[in-house]
Amino acid sequence: MNEWIPKIPLANWIDQFVDWLTSKFGSVFDGLATGLESIVNGIVSGLGFIPPILLAIIISLVAWWLTKKSIAIFSLIGFLLIDYLGYWNAMLDTLALVLTSVIISVVVGIPIGIWASQKDTVRKIVTPILDFMQTMPAFVYLLPAIFFFNIGVVPGVVASVIFAMPPTIRLTILGIKQVPEDIIEATESFGSTTGQKLLKVQLPLATPTIMAGINQSIMLALSMVVIASMVGAPGLGEEVYRAVTQLKTGVGVEAGLAIVIVAIVLDRITQNVGKKNQRGNL
């Protein structure tokens, strides 16, 4: 069959498109790289300015306020263990990468989700793009990211954003769509505008679902830290990657344990933010 149907040079077209983007918009990508690197370095410097024990106490107090005592105790012990094992600075690099990726995912993803929830045409266009973003192997995102942003933390952030953003968009659409029709009809009967209906009814009621989407984005961004380390992103992922290449099982388990601790703390905190907002709305 291959003899009858010539192969479409898709790979060549994509390579030519990437080369064209790099040559035409090189200065734009350089500016983006500088901005993203500044954000990551700013977060690392800000968190690094706080002594480890004080930052561990602050995080545990936040966890206590938003969740419960057991999670706060786990957070305190977990972060002190990370410091004791010598991975504190790597953990700060990882936190900075994840926070930057999640902030961008939320800032870009929630408006797209709101737009798609209001316009069926937008939703039909966005849905297959989200399918593509979620099903494409994450390693593939590193290749164009290297061409556009060179190596370092920036291509890691870009790849993490592409991989982590879809849940925020999908669950924002779902949360707004799930608002009961009778409530929407009641607001319309009182003469509410589209903006008032969105800001005062739909978004507050959809907040728990949107927070679930943000929670999933955080988990996906954390799952990218090892992949991001392959293009030079520092952090716990770099420690795991180095341990794998040098066959150091103990170091790999230690760094992996630190990632698990950070993931559990962030997961429990963001989960309970959504539940707290839901209780507040009720």
Side-chain angles (χ1 to χ4, degrees):
M1 186 173 178
N2 291 337
E3 296 174 356
W4 294 94
I5 302 175
K7 182 183 177 183
I8 298 174
L10 182 61
N12 290 335
W13 292 347
I14 293 173
D15 289 340
Q16 289 172 5
F17 181 63
V18 170
D19 291 340
W20 178 79
L21 284 176
T22 307
S23 61
K24 293 292 182 183
F25 301 100
S27 57
V28 176
F29 293 126
D30 289 344
L32 282 173
T34 303
L36 288 174
E37 198 166 6
S38 300
I39 293 172
V40 174
N41 290 336
I43 294 174
V44 172
S45 300
L47 294 176
F49 184 74
I50 305 172
I53 188 168
L54 180 58
L55 184 57
I57 292 172
I58 291 172
I59 293 172
S60 63
L61 289 175
V62 171
W64 194 354
W65 177 52
L66 292 172
T67 60
K68 51 189 178 181
K69 191 176 179 180
S70 59
I71 301 299
I73 293 172
F74 174 83
S75 303
L76 182 62
I77 295 173
F79 280 99
L80 290 179
L81 177 64
I82 292 172
D83 184 37
Y84 174 76
L85 293 174
Y87 295 102
W88 187 260
N89 290 330
M91 188 271 294
L92 295 184
D93 288 329
T94 297
L95 264 182
L97 188 151
V98 171
L99 288 176
T100 304
S101 304
V102 172
I103 288 170
I104 296 171
S105 297
V106 170
V107 169
V108 177
I110 288 181
I112 292 175
I114 293 172
W115 190 21
S117 70
Q118 306 298 312
K119 303 285 185 184
D120 285 341
T121 306
V122 176
R123 183 163 51 82
K124 288 175 182 174
I125 295 171
V126 166
T127 300
I129 296 174
L130 296 179
D131 293 339
F132 179 89
M133 291 167 69
Q134 281 191 293
T135 53
M136 178 65 76
F139 287 94
V140 177
Y141 297 133
L142 296 179
L143 295 171
I146 291 172
F147 278 103
F148 296 146
F149 303 106
N150 209 338
I151 59 171
V153 70
V154 175
V157 170
V158 172
S160 300
V161 168
I162 297 171
F163 191 63
M165 190 188 295
T168 297
I169 299 175
R170 286 188 192 278
L171 290 178
T172 300
I173 298 171
L174 180 66
I176 294 175
K177 285 286 185 185
Q178 282 183 334
V179 175
E181 281 295 326
D182 54 342
I183 296 178
I184 299 298
E185 290 172 2
T187 57
E188 288 174 346
S189 66
F190 283 107
S192 298
T193 63
T194 303
Q196 290 172 329
K197 185 173 63 177
L198 177 67
L199 294 174
K200 296 184 177 180
V201 178
Q202 290 177 308
L203 281 179
L205 290 175
T207 299
T209 309
I210 295 172
M211 284 305 303
I214 295 173
N215 173 272
Q216 289 302 305
S217 292
I218 292 172
M219 294 299 106
L220 288 177
L222 262 173
S223 73
M224 283 289 291
V225 296
V226 176
I227 296 175
S229 70
M230 295 179 182
V231 291
L236 294 169
E238 184 184 23
E239 300 291 338
V240 173
Y241 182 59
R242 186 182 298 125
V244 171
T245 56
Q246 298 176 357
L247 298 179
K248 293 182 177 179
T249 307
V251 175
V253 172
E254 283 182 352
L257 179 63
I259 293 175
V260 171
I261 291 170
V262 173
I264 290 174
V265 172
L266 293 179
D267 176 66
R268 299 300 185 273
I269 288 176
T270 50
Q271 270 189 16
N272 283 276
V273 168
K275 291 177 183 175
K276 197 170 183 176
N277 284 331
Q278 191 174 28
R279 289 194 293 270
N281 289 330
L282 292 174

